[in-house]
Amino acid sequence: MQPIVKPLPKMYSDLAQKQHHNKKSIYSILVMAVLLIMTTHYPSNAQAQEFALALNQASQWRMINDTVMGGISASRLTIDKGTATFSGTLSLEQNGGFASTRTSLSTPVTSDINMIRLQVKGDGRDYQLRLRIDNQWDSFAYSSPFHTQKNSWITLLLSPSDFTAVYRGRSVDAPALNFNNIKQLGFLVADKQAGEFELSFKEINFICAD
């Protein structure tokens, strides 16, 4: 008598289909898991290009005051727990009247950066955020003046169009500012008001704003 073999192929076929389906399901789950991990740990390109100028060492900031021209203004910068404070005394004597601090950028600004965001707390005086596209100490700068509120933190959002090229207090012709070219960043006080001044600021963020 012939053995019964006809139902077996169908059984094997059903089993194979189930195994194939299970493999597809496991593969889909693995793919979804990998995508989830990548989304969690690897930010988008726009986010990855953003960075902050951390405030770690006061020694990385230079003081440049009117003493280079015979004035007697004085300034200093201290950093405590991520907050920097630029302070001193502004004097109008001996044709003086300005105090400033600046630092060089160790991380190049990428081409997609189009906004600078920072928090400042002042004394009610006017200050300037200054950017330079070279490493010289006496060259034109791109300046963006801002007014502070005494003892209150305010947030500044600045685009390239908020800056004007100046040299020794006068506007000059210069190429349109591109944050990608920044080499130095700093603050200046020159509001023609003699006396004590104090400006605090936190981490400076270079961002890609939509």
PDB file of all heavy atoms in Angstrom, residues 35-56:
ATOM      1  N   LEU A  35      15.783  52.850  13.819  1.00  0.00           N
ATOM      2  CA  LEU A  35      15.372  54.215  13.476  1.00  0.00           C
ATOM      3  C   LEU A  35      15.080  55.035  14.720  1.00  0.00           C
ATOM      4  O   LEU A  35      15.406  56.226  14.795  1.00  0.00           O
ATOM      5  CB  LEU A  35      14.137  54.171  12.563  1.00  0.00           C
ATOM      6  CG  LEU A  35      14.380  53.642  11.150  1.00  0.00           C
ATOM      7  CD1 LEU A  35      13.050  53.536  10.400  1.00  0.00           C
ATOM      8  CD2 LEU A  35      15.339  54.548  10.387  1.00  0.00           C
ATOM      9  N   LEU A  36      14.458  54.402  15.717  1.00  0.00           N
ATOM     10  CA  LEU A  36      14.148  55.103  16.962  1.00  0.00           C
ATOM     11  C   LEU A  36      15.422  55.524  17.676  1.00  0.00           C
ATOM     12  O   LEU A  36      15.535  56.647  18.172  1.00  0.00           O
ATOM     13  CB  LEU A  36      13.304  54.210  17.867  1.00  0.00           C
ATOM     14  CG  LEU A  36      12.914  54.804  19.229  1.00  0.00           C
ATOM     15  CD1 LEU A  36      12.082  56.071  19.017  1.00  0.00           C
ATOM     16  CD2 LEU A  36      12.144  53.792  20.050  1.00  0.00           C
ATOM     17  N   ILE A  37      16.409  54.626  17.703  1.00  0.00           N
ATOM     18  CA  ILE A  37      17.680  54.944  18.350  1.00  0.00           C
ATOM     19  C   ILE A  37      18.382  56.085  17.628  1.00  0.00           C
ATOM     20  O   ILE A  37      18.910  57.017  18.236  1.00  0.00           O
ATOM     21  CB  ILE A  37      18.588  53.700  18.397  1.00  0.00           C
ATOM     22  CG1 ILE A  37      17.991  52.664  19.343  1.00  0.00           C
ATOM     23  CG2 ILE A  37      20.000  54.077  18.847  1.00  0.00           C
ATOM     24  CD1 ILE A  37      18.711  51.321  19.319  1.00  0.00           C
ATOM     25  N   MET A  38      18.380  56.046  16.288  1.00  0.00           N
ATOM     26  CA  MET A  38      19.023  57.103  15.506  1.00  0.00           C
ATOM     27  C   MET A  38      18.351  58.440  15.720  1.00  0.00           C
ATOM     28  O   MET A  38      18.998  59.469  15.834  1.00  0.00           O
ATOM     29  CB  MET A  38      19.001  56.743  14.020  1.00  0.00           C
ATOM     30  CG  MET A  38      19.897  55.567  13.656  1.00  0.00           C
ATOM     31  SD  MET A  38      19.833  55.180  11.903  1.00  0.00           S
ATOM     32  CE  MET A  38      20.563  56.659  11.197  1.00  0.00           C
ATOM     33  N   THR A  39      17.025  58.439  15.786  1.00  0.00           N
ATOM     34  CA  THR A  39      16.284  59.684  16.018  1.00  0.00           C
ATOM     35  C   THR A  39      16.587  60.249  17.385  1.00  0.00           C
ATOM     36  O   THR A  39      16.697  61.463  17.576  1.00  0.00           O
ATOM     37  CB  THR A  39      14.772  59.433  15.889  1.00  0.00           C
ATOM     38  OG1 THR A  39      14.503  58.884  14.608  1.00  0.00           O
ATOM     39  CG2 THR A  39      13.998  60.734  16.070  1.00  0.00           C
ATOM     40  N   THR A  40      16.743  59.373  18.377  1.00  0.00           N
ATOM     41  CA  THR A  40      16.981  59.821  19.748  1.00  0.00           C
ATOM     42  C   THR A  40      18.389  60.357  19.940  1.00  0.00           C
ATOM     43  O   THR A  40      18.601  61.377  20.588  1.00  0.00           O
ATOM     44  CB  THR A  40      16.738  58.659  20.730  1.00  0.00           C
ATOM     45  OG1 THR A  40      15.419  58.176  20.548  1.00  0.00           O
ATOM     46  CG2 THR A  40      16.918  59.131  22.167  1.00  0.00           C
ATOM     47  N   HIS A  41      19.374  59.689  19.348  1.00  0.00           N
ATOM     48  CA  HIS A  41      20.769  60.009  19.644  1.00  0.00           C
ATOM     49  C   HIS A  41      21.464  60.829  18.566  1.00  0.00           C
ATOM     50  O   HIS A  41      22.530  61.361  18.803  1.00  0.00           O
ATOM     51  CB  HIS A  41      21.553  58.714  19.873  1.00  0.00           C
ATOM     52  CG  HIS A  41      21.092  57.956  21.082  1.00  0.00           C
ATOM     53  ND1 HIS A  41      21.450  58.330  22.354  1.00  0.00           N
ATOM     54  CD2 HIS A  41      20.277  56.879  21.212  1.00  0.00           C
ATOM     55  CE1 HIS A  41      20.901  57.495  23.226  1.00  0.00           C
ATOM     56  NE2 HIS A  41      20.179  56.612  22.559  1.00  0.00           N
ATOM     57  N   TYR A  42      20.880  60.937  17.399  1.00  0.00           N
ATOM     58  CA  TYR A  42      21.512  61.693  16.331  1.00  0.00           C
ATOM     59  C   TYR A  42      20.560  62.784  15.865  1.00  0.00           C
ATOM     60  O   TYR A  42      19.624  62.522  15.123  1.00  0.00           O
ATOM     61  CB  TYR A  42      21.871  60.766  15.155  1.00  0.00           C
ATOM     62  CG  TYR A  42      22.912  59.758  15.545  1.00  0.00           C
ATOM     63  CD1 TYR A  42      22.533  58.513  16.059  1.00  0.00           C
ATOM     64  CD2 TYR A  42      24.268  60.048  15.438  1.00  0.00           C
ATOM     65  CE1 TYR A  42      23.492  57.589  16.447  1.00  0.00           C
ATOM     66  CE2 TYR A  42      25.221  59.122  15.822  1.00  0.00           C
ATOM     67  CZ  TYR A  42      24.837  57.898  16.326  1.00  0.00           C
ATOM     68  OH  TYR A  42      25.774  56.986  16.706  1.00  0.00           O
ATOM     69  N   PRO A  43      20.791  64.039  16.271  1.00  0.00           N
ATOM     70  CA  PRO A  43      19.881  65.122  15.911  1.00  0.00           C
ATOM     71  C   PRO A  43      19.935  65.419  14.430  1.00  0.00           C
ATOM     72  O   PRO A  43      20.831  64.981  13.725  1.00  0.00           O
ATOM     73  CB  PRO A  43      20.422  66.305  16.743  1.00  0.00           C
ATOM     74  CG  PRO A  43      21.853  65.991  16.976  1.00  0.00           C
ATOM     75  CD  PRO A  43      21.929  64.496  17.085  1.00  0.00           C
ATOM     76  N   SER A  44      18.975  66.190  13.970  1.00  0.00           N
ATOM     77  CA  SER A  44      18.935  66.576  12.571  1.00  0.00           C
ATOM     78  C   SER A  44      20.129  67.441  12.233  1.00  0.00           C
ATOM     79  O   SER A  44      20.797  67.997  13.102  1.00  0.00           O
ATOM     80  CB  SER A  44      17.641  67.350  12.285  1.00  0.00           C
ATOM     81  OG  SER A  44      17.671  68.580  12.985  1.00  0.00           O
ATOM     82  N   ASN A  45      20.403  67.613  10.931  1.00  0.00           N
ATOM     83  CA  ASN A  45      21.555  68.411  10.510  1.00  0.00           C
ATOM     84  C   ASN A  45      21.479  69.826  11.030  1.00  0.00           C
ATOM     85  O   ASN A  45      22.476  70.409  11.435  1.00  0.00           O
ATOM     86  CB  ASN A  45      21.640  68.420   8.975  1.00  0.00           C
ATOM     87  CG  ASN A  45      22.067  67.065   8.444  1.00  0.00           C
ATOM     88  OD1 ASN A  45      22.702  66.301   9.153  1.00  0.00           O
ATOM     89  ND2 ASN A  45      21.708  66.769   7.199  1.00  0.00           N
ATOM     90  N   ALA A  46      20.271  70.410  11.019  1.00  0.00           N
ATOM     91  CA  ALA A  46      20.120  71.790  11.491  1.00  0.00           C
ATOM     92  C   ALA A  46      20.486  71.897  12.959  1.00  0.00           C
ATOM     93  O   ALA A  46      21.187  72.812  13.372  1.00  0.00           O
ATOM     94  CB  ALA A  46      18.679  72.255  11.268  1.00  0.00           C
ATOM     95  N   GLN A  47      20.041  70.948  13.761  1.00  0.00           N
ATOM     96  CA  GLN A  47      20.347  70.983  15.174  1.00  0.00           C
ATOM     97  C   GLN A  47      21.832  70.731  15.413  1.00  0.00           C
ATOM     98  O   GLN A  47      22.450  71.329  16.268  1.00  0.00           O
ATOM     99  CB  GLN A  47      19.513  69.943  15.916  1.00  0.00           C
ATOM    100  CG  GLN A  47      18.029  70.273  15.955  1.00  0.00           C
ATOM    101  CD  GLN A  47      17.229  69.157  16.586  1.00  0.00           C
ATOM    102  OE1 GLN A  47      17.571  67.985  16.471  1.00  0.00           O
ATOM    103  NE2 GLN A  47      16.152  69.508  17.245  1.00  0.00           N
ATOM    104  N   ALA A  48      22.417  69.826  14.612  1.00  0.00           N
ATOM    105  CA  ALA A  48      23.817  69.468  14.813  1.00  0.00           C
ATOM    106  C   ALA A  48      24.742  70.638  14.528  1.00  0.00           C
ATOM    107  O   ALA A  48      25.839  70.713  15.064  1.00  0.00           O
ATOM    108  CB  ALA A  48      24.169  68.293  13.912  1.00  0.00           C
ATOM    109  N   GLN A  49      24.301  71.587  13.664  1.00  0.00           N
ATOM    110  CA  GLN A  49      25.145  72.711  13.302  1.00  0.00           C
ATOM    111  C   GLN A  49      25.118  73.808  14.359  1.00  0.00           C
ATOM    112  O   GLN A  49      25.963  74.693  14.348  1.00  0.00           O
ATOM    113  CB  GLN A  49      24.698  73.289  11.953  1.00  0.00           C
ATOM    114  CG  GLN A  49      24.762  72.306  10.781  1.00  0.00           C
ATOM    115  CD  GLN A  49      26.153  71.791  10.540  1.00  0.00           C
ATOM    116  OE1 GLN A  49      27.128  72.409  10.952  1.00  0.00           O
ATOM    117  NE2 GLN A  49      26.268  70.642   9.907  1.00  0.00           N
ATOM    118  N   GLU A  50      24.161  73.787  15.250  1.00  0.00           N
ATOM    119  CA  GLU A  50      24.088  74.800  16.294  1.00  0.00           C
ATOM    120  C   GLU A  50      25.131  74.516  17.372  1.00  0.00           C
ATOM    121  O   GLU A  50      25.405  73.369  17.699  1.00  0.00           O
ATOM    122  CB  GLU A  50      22.687  74.822  16.907  1.00  0.00           C
ATOM    123  CG  GLU A  50      21.599  75.155  15.891  1.00  0.00           C
ATOM    124  CD  GLU A  50      20.213  75.148  16.509  1.00  0.00           C
ATOM    125  OE1 GLU A  50      20.126  74.954  17.739  1.00  0.00           O
ATOM    126  OE2 GLU A  50      19.239  75.335  15.776  1.00  0.00           O
ATOM    127  N   PHE A  51      25.721  75.586  17.895  1.00  0.00           N
ATOM    128  CA  PHE A  51      26.673  75.388  18.975  1.00  0.00           C
ATOM    129  C   PHE A  51      26.696  76.621  19.860  1.00  0.00           C
ATOM    130  O   PHE A  51      26.151  77.668  19.517  1.00  0.00           O
ATOM    131  CB  PHE A  51      28.077  75.078  18.429  1.00  0.00           C
ATOM    132  CG  PHE A  51      28.779  76.255  17.808  1.00  0.00           C
ATOM    133  CD1 PHE A  51      29.665  77.025  18.546  1.00  0.00           C
ATOM    134  CD2 PHE A  51      28.555  76.599  16.483  1.00  0.00           C
ATOM    135  CE1 PHE A  51      30.319  78.104  17.985  1.00  0.00           C
ATOM    136  CE2 PHE A  51      29.208  77.674  15.907  1.00  0.00           C
ATOM    137  CZ  PHE A  51      30.098  78.427  16.659  1.00  0.00           C
ATOM    138  N   ALA A  52      27.318  76.493  20.999  1.00  0.00           N
ATOM    139  CA  ALA A  52      27.349  77.583  21.966  1.00  0.00           C
ATOM    140  C   ALA A  52      28.790  77.923  22.313  1.00  0.00           C
ATOM    141  O   ALA A  52      29.654  77.051  22.379  1.00  0.00           O
ATOM    142  CB  ALA A  52      26.578  77.205  23.224  1.00  0.00           C
ATOM    143  N   LEU A  53      29.023  79.201  22.529  1.00  0.00           N
ATOM    144  CA  LEU A  53      30.318  79.669  23.020  1.00  0.00           C
ATOM    145  C   LEU A  53      30.276  79.551  24.537  1.00  0.00           C
ATOM    146  O   LEU A  53      29.671  80.373  25.224  1.00  0.00           O
ATOM    147  CB  LEU A  53      30.562  81.109  22.581  1.00  0.00           C
ATOM    148  CG  LEU A  53      31.841  81.776  23.092  1.00  0.00           C
ATOM    149  CD1 LEU A  53      33.070  81.020  22.600  1.00  0.00           C
ATOM    150  CD2 LEU A  53      31.907  83.222  22.651  1.00  0.00           C
ATOM    151  N   ALA A  54      30.882  78.500  25.041  1.00  0.00           N
ATOM    152  CA  ALA A  54      30.844  78.251  26.480  1.00  0.00           C
ATOM    153  C   ALA A  54      31.723  79.244  27.226  1.00  0.00           C
ATOM    154  O   ALA A  54      32.735  79.729  26.705  1.00  0.00           O
ATOM    155  CB  ALA A  54      31.302  76.828  26.770  1.00  0.00           C
ATOM    156  N   LEU A  55      31.330  79.554  28.442  1.00  0.00           N
ATOM    157  CA  LEU A  55      32.067  80.502  29.279  1.00  0.00           C
ATOM    158  C   LEU A  55      32.766  79.718  30.368  1.00  0.00           C
ATOM    159  O   LEU A  55      32.195  79.436  31.417  1.00  0.00           O
ATOM    160  CB  LEU A  55      31.101  81.534  29.867  1.00  0.00           C
ATOM    161  CG  LEU A  55      30.285  82.314  28.824  1.00  0.00           C
ATOM    162  CD1 LEU A  55      29.289  83.225  29.510  1.00  0.00           C
ATOM    163  CD2 LEU A  55      31.184  83.096  27.889  1.00  0.00           C
ATOM    164  N   ASN A  56      34.012  79.370  30.092  1.00  0.00           N
ATOM    165  CA  ASN A  56      34.766  78.530  31.020  1.00  0.00           C
ATOM    166  C   ASN A  56      35.916  79.261  31.695  1.00  0.00           C
ATOM    167  O   ASN A  56      36.073  79.193  32.909  1.00  0.00           O
ATOM    168  CB  ASN A  56      35.304  77.292  30.287  1.00  0.00           C
ATOM    169  CG  ASN A  56      34.191  76.407  29.750  1.00  0.00           C
ATOM    170  OD1 ASN A  56      33.178  76.223  30.416  1.00  0.00           O
ATOM    171  ND2 ASN A  56      34.370  75.888  28.556  1.00  0.00           N
TER     172      ASN A  56
END
